[in-house]
Amino acid sequence: MSVAFVVCFVVGLVGIVGSLVVGELGELTGGAGGDGMPILGPTTIATALFGIGAGGMVAAGFDLGVASSLLVAVLGGGVLVSLTHGLLLPYLLRQQANSHVGRDSYIGALGTVTLALAHGGWGEVSFTDEDGGRVRARAVTEEPRDLPVGTRVYIADVDPDYVHVVAVPDASDPDLQVPESN
């Protein structure tokens, strides 16, 4: 009986490590996404096998007998899956949701030109993202003139390669005048 527990333990451990390294199987095969790990997904099954194997090996080590060892093994698997889904997974999902900042969040930020932006070419701007981190990004502009280093800019749009910036009018710069409104 203890060989079966060792096999469950090893298969579960391989499954968990595989999920950590490769990811959840549903994501790789184009399966339906969702919020979190599915209850019958490969990672949950691997966690249950790992818990069954660990619980069964502990029970077998205490010579509890076949029925008691099976009960402890099943309880071990159930407890481990419950802890993973009830405590660990919600925490990890919160962390994951907080750790990804998309480029769309750059729109509306104010920055400074750090590599001159030539009309029709590209340059670089530096700005602070919504989390307070310093970002340097390749930028383009539709301004009719070049934007020298130190020019304040507004990020109006983003694409996969560039942030699109507009010069922020400055009272001391006669070339950048704010049009009067009606």
Side-chain angles (χ1 to χ4, degrees):
M1 181 60 78
S2 64
V3 172
F5 294 136
V6 171
V7 170
C8 284
F9 180 82
V10 171
V11 170
L13 183 62
V14 168
I16 291 170
V17 171
S19 291
L20 289 172
V21 173
V22 178
E24 188 68 33
L25 184 63
E27 293 174 10
L28 295 176
T29 59
D35 295 331
M37 192 166 53
I39 193 66
L40 288 177
T43 305
T44 304
I45 293 169
T47 303
L49 286 173
F50 180 77
I52 289 169
M57 286 191 311
V58 168
F62 285 110
D63 291 326
L64 296 180
V66 175
S68 298
S69 292
L70 282 173
L71 180 62
V72 169
V74 170
L75 287 174
V79 166
L80 196 55
V81 168
S82 297
L83 286 174
T84 303
H85 274 278
L87 297 176
L88 184 61
L89 186 63
Y91 172 75
L92 291 174
L93 289 174
R94 255 192 328 273
Q95 289 301 104
Q96 183 178 13
N98 292 339
S99 64
H100 295 309
V101 176
R103 289 178 58 88
D104 288 342
S105 68
Y106 299 162
I107 296 173
L110 293 174
T112 305
V113 175
T114 54
L115 179 63
L117 277 143
H119 177 71
W122 65 272
E124 183 182 74
V125 295
S126 175
F127 57 95
T128 304
D129 68 10
E130 65 185 21
D131 292 332
R134 193 53 131 174
V135 177
R136 295 177 87 99
R138 290 175 51 176
V140 293
T141 186
E142 294 296 323
E143 293 286 334
R145 66 181 186 98
D146 295 348
L147 300 179
V149 172
T151 304
R152 297 281 297 158
V153 292
Y154 171 83
I155 299 174
D157 198 9
V158 296
D159 65 35
D161 299 318
Y162 302 103
V163 294
H164 297 259
V165 298
V166 178
V168 174
D170 182 9
S172 65
D173 188 351
D175 291 337
L176 293 176
Q177 295 299 319
V178 178
E180 291 185 29
S181 61
N182 293 341

